[in-house]
Amino acid sequence: MKASSIKVGVIAEQTGALSFAGIADANVARMVIDDINAKGGLLGRQIELYLEDGATTDSVAEAKAAKLVQQDQVDVLFGGIYSSTRQAIKEPAVVKGRKLYIYPEQYEGQEWTRSSSVPAQCQRSRLNLSSHG
């Protein structure tokens, strides 16, 4: 039996005020997933990219997150540039959809849920790290 693929949803701001960053994010997502798949996938499973345009609008990003979770049934969701967009995506992705959500931007800190990850350091974390060393 063939292993099922891993469905990765990405909301990238391909239009609107942040399109300069979102287009780059979309291109990097395609490149990385193509590279991983060319090398045999992740743990022997191919990755399927589900790419949506957040249009630099929180309500659009929220609707796209709902689509990715409910219709496309992604396993993990990345995206959002503004903190307000993170909040908009989090409701359909994490709270209702119970999916892993990764917000890859720096942020203001003090937010944690079991199903979301914010790997970029916030300014507060940087201050704490620099004061210890």
Side-chain angles (χ1 to χ4, degrees):
M1 179 193 302
K2 184 179 176 185
S4 63
S5 62
I6 299 168
K7 295 180 178 183
V8 174
V10 175
I11 299 174
E13 315 308 328
Q14 298 171 78
T15 57
L18 294 176
S19 62
F20 67 93
I23 291 169
D25 291 346
N27 288 335
V28 168
R30 286 186 196 101
M31 180 183 68
V32 168
I33 288 175
D34 287 348
D35 187 53
I36 292 169
N37 284 337
K39 294 177 181 174
L42 180 62
L43 300 174
R45 296 168 64 189
Q46 292 292 292
I47 300 173
E48 289 182 63
L49 175 62
Y50 291 80
L51 184 61
E52 294 288 344
D53 180 10
T56 317
T57 304
D58 294 346
S59 60
V60 172
E62 182 176 10
K64 298 295 181 158
K67 176 197 176 288
L68 287 166
V69 169
Q70 296 167 4
Q71 183 179 327
D72 299 326
Q73 298 182 346
V74 297
D75 298 302
V76 60
L77 183 60
F78 292 81
I81 294 177
Y82 291 139
S83 292
S84 60
T85 307
R86 178 186 75 242
Q87 295 298 344
I89 291 171
K90 202 169 77 170
E91 178 69 22
V94 177
V95 177
K96 292 180 181 175
R98 302 186 53 86
K99 298 293 181 178
L100 175 61
Y101 170 51
I102 299 174
Y103 176 70
E105 302 293 330
Q106 290 189 358
Y107 80 117
E108 62 279 359
Q110 299 183 6
E111 181 174 333
W112 181 88
T113 65
R114 186 176 296 277
S115 298
S116 63
S117 175
V118 187
Q121 292 181 342
C122 66
Q123 296 302 322
R124 184 176 184 170
S125 295
R126 277 197 192 154
L127 292 173
N128 287 341
L129 290 173
S130 64
S131 67
H132 288 96

